[in-house]
Amino acid sequence: MDRMLVLPAQVAITHGHRVEVTEQVDPLTDGPVVLALVDLDTGIRYRRTEEPGGDFSRWIGRVLECTVTIGGIGARTTLLVDPIGPGATGAKIALRGADAAADAAKAEADRWGGADRPPVEEPERFW
């Protein structure tokens, strides 16, 4: 599943480059926040000025799209990254996806009448 990363800086990374993303879950929004980004093909490192504290996750992906917004106060970069290999998402993100899949499966089972019907009684057998 592709991931959209929005960085509050101008970071130009070429399509197809591998990147290592270090992120942490924001306690207020419960969403991931990118702490550091390393372009593994060029070796250039981008990181926030504050030091990370607490739990963070690291994963590697390949850049599919890079859009840099220039000028003004709203300078930012939007990266579309395809995660590669194991550990591609943090535990909370994976659990959020698993919860959504379980809820969808329950809704589908209810829609098809899987859980709310009593089992049909078998007729008596005569031997």
Side-chain angles (χ1 to χ4, degrees):
M1 181 172 81
D2 298 342
R3 298 274 312 273
M4 181 72 70
L5 305 176
V6 179
L7 306 168
Q10 295 175 351
V11 178
I13 299 178
T14 306
H15 171 76
H17 277 212
R18 292 177 313 121
V19 291
E20 179 185 71
V21 180
T22 304
E23 59 186 11
Q24 185 175 37
V25 176
D26 184 8
L28 299 176
T29 63
D30 206 30
V33 175
V34 176
L35 300 175
L37 184 71
V38 179
D39 185 342
L40 297 174
D41 294 332
T42 62
I44 298 174
R45 299 174 183 271
Y46 305 94
R47 67 181 185 105
R48 292 182 179 262
T49 55
E50 65 270 4
E51 290 297 321
D55 294 333
F56 57 89
S57 64
R58 221 174 244 149
W59 54 276
I60 295 176
R62 186 166 307 279
V63 175
L64 300 176
E65 292 179 13
C66 178
T67 304
V68 179
T69 306
I70 57 175
I73 299 172
R76 70 171 195 233
T77 301
T78 304
L79 292 172
L80 182 62
V81 180
D82 179 25
I84 301 172
T89 57
K92 285 195 174 192
I93 295 168
L95 287 175
R96 190 178 313 132
D99 288 342
D103 291 342
K106 287 177 187 176
E108 192 68 18
D110 290 343
R111 190 179 109 189
W112 288 97
D116 59 343
R117 294 184 189 172
V120 177
E121 292 184 26
E122 292 186 24
E124 270 188 56
R125 296 184 181 181
F126 296 101
W127 300 98

